[in-house]
Amino acid sequence: MMLSKGFEIEIYTGTHDGQIVGLSDRITANLDGFVREPDSRNVEYTTAPLCSYERLLCDLLVPRLRLRQYLKTLGPYTLVPGGTLALGGSDRFYRSDPANPYHAYIERTYGTKVVTASVHINIGIADPELLMRACRLVRVEAPLYLALSASSPFLDGEPTGFHSTRWHLFPQTPDRVPLFESHAHFIRWTEEQLELGTMQNVRHLWSSVRPNGDCRPYNLNRLEMRICDPVIDPLALLAITALLEARLCQLMDDPSLDPLTASLLPAATRNDDLLSLTLANEMAVARHSLDASLRHWQDGRTIKARDWIAQLYAELRPIAKERGFSCFLSPLQRILREGNAAQQWLQQVETGHSCQAVVAQAIQEAQQWERELADQTCHGSLVA
């Protein structure tokens, strides 16, 4: 049986040469299915939870095509790939909803560090203790998914030295979110943070992975992975999702994969040690993505991110094949071979292209193959 999956897609709007322009007030007022972010320069749309990858592909593409079509009515605007304000604008916050007190708190506390774009991958898991076990495993392996998705090497028109500038800058909140040992632990910890004021509300938990549901922290039904940079290629995004689903299926069949019990790190300090190791891995991947040297959660050994991913791919492909979605896993091989978006963009800069030229080319390429892919796969769903 396949798990249900859904996405929260954040994306910038702007001009065809890559200048990001805030249009979310008009988009959300006139186009169903889009919601505001605190800054007006990006918008978000979500896909309904589905098991079918084929249907998910169209649910990713069709809203984007509708948005592109609407943007044309406003002027020479389009969608801008990447997870940061790549060509400028990080010196100012453009509030999308000046009357919203939570947005005011975000601007005052974090500034433009949060004016980023990302993709959140949600996987349905109804049993709360299984969900906590899944969150523990995915949390310690989340850097691998960031390595595959990194797409934010520029800020304000310059390479930053990071493949995911977004994750380097983004304020993980509260500090040192633990590996939750049980659902009761998650409830107790959340209530404590709300009382202390380190969380303003139940949504104000910004870590790489979190349990989610309709009434957090009590009623939970899904794992939400929040670490990934936006992946403009929907087939690449589905491949990353397929890796995550296959890993969760493996965990469901083999609960001994729980890091709190399977790790060989000292039992007395294992939770803290795993957390420190994971946070260090996240920062290493933010800088070097697939080429980062990481420490494995099992025993602390050093391993390259791309080698760890390749090992997981080989281990999980039979699971994906048995469940009927191995074809969607296959594009990972291309990412490992050719590099993620950040690495490809930086290679273009090294050959003499400007950051603006790289972003402009990425905009043009994305628009072209989005339409081609949608024409091939979503005939009955396309807007006119």
Side-chain angles (χ1 to χ4, degrees), residues 157-218:
E158 297 291 339
T160 63
F162 291 85
H163 292 187
S164 177
T165 305
R166 166 190 157 267
W167 197 250
H168 167 64
L169 293 175
F170 198 84
Q172 297 192 52
T173 304
D175 292 334
R176 291 188 70 83
V177 177
L179 297 178
F180 298 112
E181 299 173 8
S182 65
H183 187 201
H185 181 200
F186 178 56
I187 292 173
R188 183 173 65 252
W189 180 88
T190 302
E191 291 175 341
E192 289 173 354
Q193 303 312 306
L194 293 171
E195 186 174 343
L196 291 169
T198 56
M199 289 171 56
Q200 297 297 299
N201 52 53
V202 294
R203 293 181 294 130
H204 193 207
L205 169 53
W206 298 344
S207 61
S208 59
V209 179
R210 71 182 182 189
N212 207 340
D214 298 331
C215 185
R216 289 170 280 181
Y218 310 106

Side-chain angles (χ1 to χ4, degrees), residues 308-382:
W308 192 346
I309 294 166
Q311 289 178 12
L312 279 178
Y313 179 90
E315 187 177 330
L316 297 174
R317 192 172 185 280
I319 294 173
K321 185 174 183 179
E322 180 183 352
R323 287 164 172 78
F325 61 90
S326 61
C327 62
F328 287 95
L329 189 64
S330 298
L332 288 185
Q333 295 285 61
R334 176 174 51 83
I335 299 174
L336 292 175
R337 183 176 62 252
E338 300 177 3
N340 55 42
Q343 291 173 310
Q344 293 183 32
W345 293 352
L346 288 169
Q347 287 171 5
Q348 294 176 46
V349 170
E350 289 171 3
T351 60
H353 295 81
S354 67
C355 294
Q356 182 170 356
V358 171
V359 173
Q361 181 178 337
I363 289 171
Q364 184 178 9
E365 290 175 349
Q367 183 167 326
Q368 179 179 346
W369 51 248
E370 271 179 20
R371 170 57 69 176
E372 292 174 355
L373 186 57
D375 285 344
Q376 293 168 9
T377 59
C378 308
H379 307 288
S381 304
L382 291 181

Side-chain angles (χ1 to χ4, degrees), residues 12-178:
Y12 291 116
T13 55
T15 61
H16 289 267
D17 63 359
Q19 300 299 324
I20 295 172
V21 180
L23 300 169
S24 68
D25 56 340
R26 283 181 275 183
I27 294 167
T28 55
N30 295 291
L31 203 60
D32 290 339
F34 292 87
V35 297
R36 296 181 185 185
E37 291 294 297
D39 189 283
S40 66
R41 286 170 286 188
N42 58 13
V43 294
E44 178 182 298
Y45 70 93
T46 62
T47 68
L50 297 170
C51 294
S52 165
Y53 281 89
E54 290 85 357
R55 291 180 60 191
L56 279 169
L57 176 58
C58 291
D59 280 7
L60 286 169
L61 284 169
V62 171
R64 204 174 296 179
L65 294 171
R66 289 176 51 236
L67 178 55
R68 287 187 186 279
Q69 192 174 58
Y70 174 72
L71 290 174
K72 289 179 183 178
T73 70
L74 303 180
Y77 300 122
T78 187
L79 304 179
V80 181
T84 50
L85 298 166
L87 302 182
S90 72
D91 59 332
R92 182 177 172 188
F93 203 102
Y94 292 83
R95 287 275 295 280
S96 66
D97 185 0
N100 188 315
Y102 183 46
H103 289 188
Y105 171 85
I106 289 173
E107 179 186 6
R108 183 173 64 251
T109 306
Y110 307 111
T112 57
K113 288 183 177 180
V114 298
V115 187
T116 63
S118 63
V119 55
H120 299 172
I121 304 172
N122 291 270
I123 306 288
I125 301 176
D127 179 88
E129 298 306 330
L130 175 57
L131 174 58
M132 292 300 149
R133 190 181 307 125
C135 285
R136 292 192 290 270
L137 178 61
V138 176
R139 180 88 183 275
V140 297
E141 294 182 352
L144 305 178
Y145 299 89
L146 178 59
L148 289 163
S149 68
S151 63
S152 52
F154 308 141
L155 185 68
D156 291 333
E158 297 291 339
T160 63
F162 291 85
H163 292 187
S164 177
T165 305
R166 166 190 157 267
W167 197 250
H168 167 64
L169 293 175
F170 198 84
Q172 297 192 52
T173 304
D175 292 334
R176 291 188 70 83
V177 177

Side-chain angles (χ1 to χ4, degrees), residues 238-310:
L238 292 179
I240 293 168
T241 305
L243 184 73
L244 174 60
E245 178 174 3
R247 187 60 160 157
L248 292 174
C249 290
Q250 185 184 39
L251 174 68
M252 292 174 183
D253 292 338
D254 182 8
S256 70
L257 290 171
D258 186 342
L260 283 185
T261 55
S263 175
L264 300 178
L265 298 178
T269 58
R270 186 173 295 158
N271 199 319
D272 284 341
D273 290 347
L274 285 170
L275 180 58
S276 296
L277 177 151
T278 299
L279 293 175
N281 284 348
E282 289 181 12
M283 290 302 100
V285 165
R287 184 177 290 275
H288 298 295
S289 69
L290 292 169
D291 294 326
S293 292
L294 309 180
R295 292 180 59 214
H296 201 294
W297 61 264
Q298 288 179 329
D299 53 11
R301 69 184 183 274
T302 300
I303 184 171
K304 288 281 188 182
R306 67 170 66 249
D307 294 335
W308 192 346
I309 294 166

